[in-house]
Amino acid sequence: MTTHQRTIVASIDPVKLDRLAEVAVRVGLQLREGQDLFLTAPVAALPLVRRIAEHAYKAGAGLVTPILSDEELTLARYRFAKDASFDRAPVWLYEGVAKAFSADTARLAIVGDNPMLLAGQDPAKVSRANKANSLAYQPALEKIAGFDINWNIIAYPTASWAKQVFPGDEEDVAVARLAEAIFAASRVDGEDPVGAWEAHNAALRLRTTWLNGERFAALHFTGPGTDLTVGLADGHEWHGGASTAKNGITCNPNIPTEEVFTTPHALRVEGRVVSTKPLSYQGTLIDEIAVRFEGGRIVEAKASRGEEVLGKVLDTDEGARRLGEVALVPHSSPISKSGLLFYNTLFDENAACHIALGQCYAKCFEGGGALSPDEIAARGGNKSLIHIDWMIGSNEIDIDGIKPDGTRVPVFRKGEWA
Ligand code: ZN
Ligand code: ZN
């Protein structure tokens, strides 16, 4: 490690970093005695990877297997690899990952790469590489999307990411500020983070219980530039915070998380909607998205920036133009109050109500665990290689719940629970 790297790591509070590792293992994963753990992380996140391994083994982990990525290695491919490389992915590796998931291995992802890493690269190559990767990852992703095993995503403040969020600061200052923002949003800035997560999960459960009792047929969003009716899938179920995987473990897949979410009906979305925050997608910033839905399908799409990439995303497959998720987040959420744009979906999606293009979550159905892909499709669940969240909420958004008989119930007023 160079002196510079040491300064960067020293700007991250070691006590809170250790609490984040503990929360990942004890709250995020609820790792079971004897369970193996597969984790991916940027190489810069090694200080957190080591602490997680320690907490995992203390919790009785069988085997902790990390795979680390590196920004320079990723860029080397774009600079020097042959063109045919961009239609390939390490299929053998993903097959192994799917096999590990089938054998009840838990999954942890640490995110923290520079969100603009690929901004200067050929969008066609980026999209081909993403597609090849998505295809290869599909068998493993199905086990994550189907919630077969306990999994968790957390974040680490790498220097390249911190400089995106705080461009005006020196690297060590930017890292310290991003670290504090991550710790606060992940609720590890207090003395009892595990207790704080229990209370937060209970508050989210109150919301999902109410929404599941109301049995809305649709949600109607109105605000500047937005008049959107999102039909909900038949037999949809709202989730949020902790939930139980098919292997019986109750875990918190996302840390942080502020959303309650469910599955829209792939064929019953009508109207116009605009994004309220930029979407950082694989190194490209897509800003001021404006789309129109007809029969659940996006028939018009514009963006003030990144429109070409948005167009490619929508052409990924048939399901890429339809919705797989609708999520409610109050404007007063701690992440929204921080006023920061993280350029990372894990954080930004928890600052505002959002919708996701693409694949739905099988667990967001009554009896979801037992439904076959055909049954999910018959209830209106969307299928796609992609799942991309973008923000449509703000302090100007009103939402009504519409019952099957047409009765309207206020759900949000001016961005807050009604
Ligand atoms: Zn979401
Ligand atoms: Zn999502």
Side-chain angles (χ1 to χ4, degrees):
M1 210 182 255
T2 65
T3 320
H4 178 66
Q5 282 167 325
R6 231 170 269 156
T7 320
I8 297 297
V9 173
S11 54
I12 300 170
D13 183 331
V15 175
K16 289 177 190 167
L17 189 69
D18 191 65
R19 283 192 201 134
L20 183 61
E22 188 188 359
V23 159
V25 172
R26 290 185 52 200
V27 177
L29 292 170
Q30 293 274 356
L31 201 69
R32 178 158 53 198
E33 175 95 35
Q35 203 179 14
D36 286 348
L37 173 61
F38 168 64
L39 75 87
T40 53
V43 76
L46 199 52
L48 179 58
V49 173
R50 287 178 176 146
R51 283 171 191 273
I52 284 168
E54 206 179 299
H55 281 284
Y57 284 123
K58 280 184 189 161
L63 200 58
V64 178
T65 306
I67 291 192
L68 304 180
S69 60
D70 175 63
E71 294 181 352
E72 288 304 317
L73 280 175
T74 304
L75 288 177
R77 180 181 179 196
Y78 282 88
R79 285 186 191 129
F80 305 116
K82 290 206 167 104
D83 188 67
S85 155
F86 295 92
D87 297 314
R88 296 195 52 209
V91 174
W92 57 271
L93 176 65
Y94 291 124
E95 282 172 359
V97 172
K99 218 164 152 181
F101 293 165
S102 298
D104 199 36
T105 297
R107 162 90 169 105
L108 180 70
I110 302 174
V111 299
D113 274 332
N114 176 3
M116 304 307 283
L117 184 67
L118 301 178
Q121 306 304 321
D122 175 2
K125 278 186 179 172
V126 175
S127 124
R128 283 162 62 201
N130 286 339
K131 192 168 181 177
N133 231 48
S134 300
L135 272 171
Y137 188 48
Q138 187 72 6
L141 183 64
E142 271 170 14
K143 297 184 193 304
I144 296 288
F147 211 19
D148 286 18
I149 47 153
N150 46 329
W151 58 272
N152 171 237
I153 307 180
I154 55 164
Y156 180 84
T158 65
S160 56
W161 179 22
K163 280 295 283 176
Q164 278 297 325
V165 182
F166 302 104
D169 290 325
E170 292 293 324
E171 230 171 47
D172 56 336
V173 176
V175 167
R177 290 183 72 185
L178 181 58
E180 288 307 312
I182 290 172
F183 294 148
S186 308
R187 292 182 158 78
V188 298
D189 52 348
E191 287 303 314
D192 178 19
V194 175
W197 273 96
E198 276 168 14
H200 182 47
N201 278 326
L204 291 171
R205 203 168 308 122
L206 278 178
R207 301 297 186 196
T208 55
T209 305
W210 178 71
L211 285 163
N212 285 328
E214 290 294 318
R215 307 271 9 119
F216 293 127
L219 296 178
H220 182 211
F221 291 75
T222 48
T226 290
D227 183 350
L228 181 74
T229 302
V230 178
L232 301 180
D234 301 327
H236 69 275
E237 191 172 81
W238 288 87
H239 283 257
S243 55
T244 305
K246 283 185 202 156
N247 67 0
I249 297 179
T250 301
C251 64
N252 262 93
N254 287 1
I255 288 183
T257 187
E258 302 289 338
E259 61 172 346
V260 296
F261 57 100
T262 195
T263 300
H265 197 291
L267 308 177
R268 298 181 197 149
V269 183
E270 304 288 341
R272 293 177 181 277
V273 61
V274 297
S275 64
T276 50
K277 278 170 176 283
L279 162 66
S280 168
Y281 177 70
Q282 317 264 16
T284 303
L285 214 58
I286 308 177
D287 204 2
E288 295 181 59
I289 301 170
V291 301
R292 190 165 66 82
F293 284 89
E294 242 178 55
R297 192 168 183 275
I298 291 179
V299 291
E300 261 177 62
K302 283 192 209 121
S304 67
R305 186 174 169 187
E307 190 172 293
E308 195 191 335
V309 174
L310 177 66
K312 285 206 159 63
V313 166
L314 294 178
D315 289 339
T316 308
D317 53 26
E318 171 55 29
R321 285 178 181 270
R322 297 179 187 275
L323 295 187
E325 178 193 344
V326 58
L328 306 181
V329 181
H331 187 68
S332 59
S333 94
I335 297 172
S336 174
K337 274 200 285 191
S338 79
L340 295 172
L341 181 64
F342 287 83
Y343 301 94
N344 182 304
T345 302
L346 180 60
F347 289 80
D348 294 327
E349 78 159 347
N350 284 302
C353 291
H354 56 271
I355 48 180
L357 300 171
Q359 181 64 40
C360 74
Y361 287 109
K363 72 171 177 182
C364 289
F365 286 95
E366 295 168 309
L371 297 180
S372 70
D374 284 347
E375 288 169 321
I376 288 169
R379 284 163 175 73
N382 193 31
K383 188 175 161 58
S384 172
L385 286 173
I386 63 161
H387 177 99
I388 300 171
D389 300 274
W390 50 283
M391 297 353 117
I392 62 168
S394 72
N395 57 354
E396 297 178 291
I397 284 284
D398 291 341
I399 307 169
D400 279 350
I402 303 174
K403 300 252 187 166
D405 66 2
T407 325
R408 283 174 171 262
V409 179
V411 177
F412 267 49
R413 286 294 176 267
K414 301 284 164 219
E416 299 298 328
W417 287 100

